[in-house]
Amino acid sequence: MIIPAIDLINGKVVRLFQGDYGQKTEYTYSPQERFDLYVSEGAQQLHLVDLDGAKDPAKRQLAVIADLIRNTPVPVQIGGGIRSEKDVADLLDIGASRVVIGSTAVKDPDLVGSWMNKYGSERIVLALDVNIVNGQRLIAVAGWQRDSGITIESLIERYRQYNLRHVLCTDISRDGTLKGSNNELYRYLVDNFSNITFQASGGIGSLEDLRTLRTSGVQSIIIGRSLLEGKFTVKEALACWQNA
């Protein structure tokens, strides 16, 4: 599945380079315009990151997000600074199809596991951002500023007891670069955790990158910058993904 993505700051569509708020590109079109375009081109699911909420959950753009969800006819999964059960409940209450949880999932698996038990593991996506150091796939936290010291394999194993279903995995070194995905990483994850639905993220800059990624066996790909910058359309991406 092709999952188009947008990031929001103060209701505006932006892109950060490798998670750095100091390296921000702001786009002129509205988030609803982008969602409408992506749906018109065939997107069956969308992804939204609330970067204000990621920085400070008290500044979560709930009204903006609720309006987007209400006016968008396909499921929208939401991420950005999910740190409490109230954050999860608020987003599900306004219609989010799934809630994407990053650092909190790494720091407190039992807490996030309790949310999976309560709301259903189908409604929770773990966002695991990976730095590969000396062959170890280490998860970064705090907006990629800190190495957790925890491998992605060990954390996925920890969540087996909570019936983990969805993992969004980003190779940090590829994010925003348009230089292609880390296909070896996704092939490894798919081969070793066949019960998990993986969403790949980071690096897609061309249709050829999509064709190559498809061979990894990963089920879905989050695409942000390349769509915003017109490298290809959702319709072209879907045709490429389906025919690869």
Side-chain angles (χ1 to χ4, degrees):
M1 181 180 288
I2 301 295
I3 306 177
I6 61 172
D7 297 350
L8 291 185
I9 291 179
N10 194 29
K12 299 183 183 301
V13 178
V14 303
R15 279 293 295 165
L16 305 184
F17 181 75
Q18 296 189 355
D20 183 355
Y21 283 78
Q23 298 188 66
K24 179 181 72 173
T25 301
E26 186 173 305
Y27 298 90
T28 56
Y29 27 72
S30 76
Q32 191 65 62
E33 285 173 339
R34 292 315 289 184
F35 273 6
D36 290 349
L37 175 63
Y38 295 156
V39 172
S40 74
E41 292 179 342
Q44 297 296 307
Q45 183 177 331
L46 299 169
H47 177 83
L48 185 147
V49 179
D50 178 359
L51 290 173
D52 289 334
K55 240 182 178 180
D56 180 357
K59 296 181 179 178
R60 192 174 310 287
Q61 302 170 79
L62 275 178
V64 173
I65 296 169
D67 193 54
L68 279 169
I69 291 173
R70 185 166 50 250
N71 290 291
T72 301
V74 302
V76 184
Q77 64 182 30
I78 311 289
I82 312 301
R83 296 169 194 162
S84 70
E85 184 177 341
K86 184 178 186 303
D87 295 333
V88 175
D90 284 348
L91 289 170
L92 292 178
D93 284 348
I94 63 172
S97 63
R98 297 189 184 110
V99 177
V100 182
I101 304 174
S103 293
T104 304
V106 183
K107 296 173 183 176
D108 199 340
D110 290 334
L111 177 64
V112 174
S114 73
W115 302 341
M116 288 182 167
N117 287 339
K118 181 171 182 177
Y119 298 101
S121 59
E122 183 62 33
R123 308 299 298 280
I124 304 290
V125 180
L126 300 193
L128 306 182
D129 303 325
V130 173
N131 276 314
I132 300 176
V133 181
N134 297 324
Q136 285 195 304
R137 303 162 190 86
L138 298 171
I139 302 170
V141 293
W144 299 353
Q145 301 305 306
R146 187 163 59 83
D147 179 1
S148 69
I150 299 170
T151 66
I152 189 170
E153 298 95 327
S154 64
L155 193 69
I156 289 175
E157 289 290 348
R158 177 79 181 269
Y159 275 95
R160 281 189 185 275
Q161 62 185 306
Y162 301 113
N163 201 30
L164 175 64
R165 285 286 172 262
H166 298 280
V167 172
L168 193 172
C169 178
T170 303
D171 179 345
I172 293 169
S173 71
R174 303 296 181 101
D175 185 73
T177 66
L178 302 180
K179 293 180 179 178
S181 292
N182 185 339
N183 301 311
E184 290 183 6
L185 170 64
Y186 298 118
R187 188 174 294 111
Y188 168 82
L189 292 172
V190 169
D191 287 348
N192 284 274
F193 300 98
S194 59
N195 61 316
I196 304 294
T197 298
F198 285 98
Q199 301 175 10
S201 174
I204 294 295
S206 69
L207 293 176
E208 185 56 38
D209 291 337
L210 275 179
R211 290 188 190 96
T212 305
L213 176 64
R214 192 74 166 99
T215 66
S216 72
V218 74
Q219 291 93 338
S220 299
I221 172 68
I222 306 284
I223 306 178
R225 181 183 168 191
S226 53
L227 291 174
L228 291 171
E229 297 188 359
K231 303 294 184 184
F232 49 81
T233 67
V234 171
K235 185 176 181 179
E236 290 169 334
L238 285 166
C240 176
W241 190 254
Q242 290 162 2
N243 295 327

